Amino acid sequence: MTEPMIAQKSPFAVEVTAGKAYWWCACGRSAKQPFCDGSHKETGMSPLEFKAEKTETIHFCGCKATANQPRCDGSHKSL
């Protein structure tokens, strides 16, 4: 298994829509951050599905070090 790459050292603020599923990039290699574009193939990592319960702004982790995947938990502050 490969370690995830840091996509950016800050969260991605994204307006999500209630009832919609989003696939968060866990490997950091996607060109469509914070979402998966299939770049994880052969890394041993997989994207994480996030189902929006309500329409709101979510802060998706950009550093890929969060303990609260896929949401930012501030881990980027110690990188």
Side-chain angles (χ1 to χ4, degrees):
M1 181 159 160
T2 306
E3 290 295 314
M5 292 174 54
I6 297 171
Q8 71 179 26
K9 290 185 179 179
S10 59
F12 292 93
V14 178
E15 180 77 17
V16 296
T17 304
K20 187 174 177 186
Y22 299 84
W23 290 92
W24 175 73
C25 169
C27 73
R29 290 164 176 77
S30 175
K32 296 182 178 184
Q33 291 294 330
F35 304 115
C36 178
D37 70 359
S39 296
H40 63 276
K41 291 180 175 67
E42 299 181 28
T43 66
M45 291 183 250
S46 298
L48 180 71
E49 184 179 19
F50 174 81
K51 291 184 181 178
E53 294 180 10
K54 61 183 178 176
T55 298
E56 64 181 329
T57 299
I58 298 292
H59 290 87
F60 288 95
C61 176
C63 72
K64 312 305 175 181
T66 183
N68 189 29
Q69 293 181 350
R71 295 175 184 257
C72 175
D73 68 358
S75 293
H76 60 275
K77 295 175 185 174
S78 64
L79 296 177

